[in-house]
Structure formats: structure tokens, C-alpha cells
Amino acid sequence: MAPPRNLDAPSRLHGVPQALDRAGAPPPVVAEGQAGVAGGEAAMRELLLRAPDLTAVIAYNDLMAIGAMRAARAAGR
């Protein structure tokens, strides 16, 4: 999730769990980080520690997604 100064962040953080609930999916495990590659890497490392069986990730932006993919690959995922 992006820094709190981003005005879209609260809406996104609220909307994702709603959409998952409507789809019958379990609630998300959320990790916050800076909105860049390094932030995505750090958030993904945290997620993999807290939820090692996770099967999907929603990133705040493309840079965070790149970082998340890097961390997932480094973890053998």
C-alpha cells in the first residue's frame, strides 16, 4: 500500500476487501510499503513471512509489482 499522503490509498485499501468478500474469497493479508520497487520488495518479503501459502498479490502500482515479483522470485516462488 502506498504512503498515507496518497489520496487514493484509503479507497483502494477499503475496496479490495469488499471485492474479495463479494467474490467469496478470504480477506486479504495487507503489507504496507513505499510506492516503489524497494517498497514492493519489502512488502512481499513481509507477506511471504506472514502468509507463506499466499497465491495472489495485488500491488498498489507497477513499480511495487516489479518489486513484489523480484522478492517472490528470490524466495523461489
Side-chain angles (χ1 to χ4, degrees):
M1 182 48 86
R5 70 180 178 270
N6 187 309
L7 297 178
D8 290 335
S11 297
R12 291 181 188 197
L13 189 57
H14 182 70
V16 170
Q18 282 184 330
L20 291 172
D21 184 55
R22 287 185 194 138
V29 178
V30 178
E32 295 185 21
Q34 294 298 313
V37 175
E41 286 180 288
M44 180 59 111
R45 285 192 301 270
E46 179 184 335
L47 287 173
L48 290 172
L49 288 174
R50 292 176 38 212
D53 296 329
L54 82 107
T55 59
V57 174
I58 299 170
Y60 185 80
N61 62 32
D62 291 347
L63 293 175
M64 289 189 83
I66 291 167
M69 289 187 290
R70 286 181 181 176
R73 177 176 280 173
R77 299 288 299 270

